[in-house]
């Protein structure tokens, strides 16, 4: 991180500015989970992180694929669930983007599912200079969109 501070009195790590956290995605050697953001507030005891300008990359269901999620804020329980507000999610790595979903709230449950509330599905689009997904054609909206990694549906 740019400026990391360990607070011994309450066992907490904070960053002022940018940081990057890299950890194994699971115990099966299925790649890495990368969390990039700003202004981290990480509780060491609960393994819970609150961050701004969140960008999270984690392995998709097929070998060698990844899921990319961006949001203004995120709360991540690093061995469990991550909740992102006003987030975009895609598996498209190229530019132009082939597809993406924008949701009011995205819950990532590692090795289980992704739950998206008020999911607006877009075909096409591009990446802004900062990596945000934009444009594209709005195809449909789902009040609740659940994708199961276990059942591939």
């Amino acid at each position: 991180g740019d400026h990391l501070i360990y607070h011994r009195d309450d066992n907490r790590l904070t960053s002022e500015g940018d940081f990057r956290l890299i950890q194994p995605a699971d115990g099966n050697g299925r790649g890495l989970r990368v969390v990039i953001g700003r202004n981290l507030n990480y509780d060491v005891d609960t393994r819970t992180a609150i961050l701004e300008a969140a960008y999270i990359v984690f392995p998709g269901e097929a070998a060698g694929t990844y899921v990319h999620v961006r949001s203004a804020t995120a709360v991540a329980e690093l061995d469990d669930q991550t909740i992102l507000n006003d987030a975009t999610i895609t598996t498209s790595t190229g530019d132009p983007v082939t597809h993406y979903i924008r949701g009011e709230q995205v819950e990532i449950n590692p090795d289980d599912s992704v739950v998206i509330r008020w999911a607006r599905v877009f075909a096409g689009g591009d990446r802004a200079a900062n990596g945000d997904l934009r444009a594209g054609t709005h195809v449909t909206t789902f009040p609740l969109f659940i994708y199961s990694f276990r059942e591939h549906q």
Side-chain angles (χ1 to χ4, degrees):
D2 284 349
H3 185 93
L4 295 173
I5 303 167
Y6 176 69
H7 305 268
R8 189 176 319 169
D9 54 328
D10 57 358
N11 205 20
R12 194 170 46 93
L13 179 69
T14 60
S15 79
E16 295 174 3
D18 297 336
F19 75 91
R20 177 183 305 248
L21 173 70
I22 301 171
Q23 69 181 137
D26 63 21
N28 299 323
R30 273 189 0 120
L32 298 173
R33 176 169 44 178
V34 178
V35 179
I36 299 170
R38 296 186 52 77
N39 302 330
L40 172 71
N41 188 339
Y42 178 69
D43 185 307
V44 175
D45 295 330
T46 64
R47 296 181 51 84
T48 301
I50 299 171
L51 57 135
E52 300 171 2
Y55 176 49
I56 300 172
V57 180
F58 61 95
E61 62 182 321
T65 63
Y66 289 89
V67 178
H68 303 262
V69 187
R70 287 187 171 277
S71 77
T73 61
V75 176
E77 297 172 12
L78 295 184
D79 291 325
D80 195 18
Q81 181 182 72
T82 301
I83 298 173
L84 304 105
N85 295 305
D86 189 24
T88 57
I89 183 169
T90 188
T91 55
S92 178
T93 57
D95 202 7
V97 175
T98 58
H99 63 281
Y100 70 95
I101 298 174
R102 177 173 297 281
E104 286 184 13
Q105 186 180 70
V106 175
E107 296 175 18
I108 303 168
N109 302 295
D111 295 327
D112 183 46
S113 63
V114 172
V115 177
I116 306 171
R117 296 182 193 318
W118 291 108
R120 294 172 305 214
V121 179
F122 291 85
D126 63 4
R127 284 185 173 79
N130 67 356
D132 287 346
L133 301 177
R134 62 184 183 187
T137 302
H138 180 234
V139 178
T140 191
T141 299
F142 298 102
L144 184 64
F145 181 94
I146 302 171
Y147 184 83
S148 171
F149 293 130
R150 293 177 189 219
E151 297 175 20
H152 308 290
Q153 59 184 0

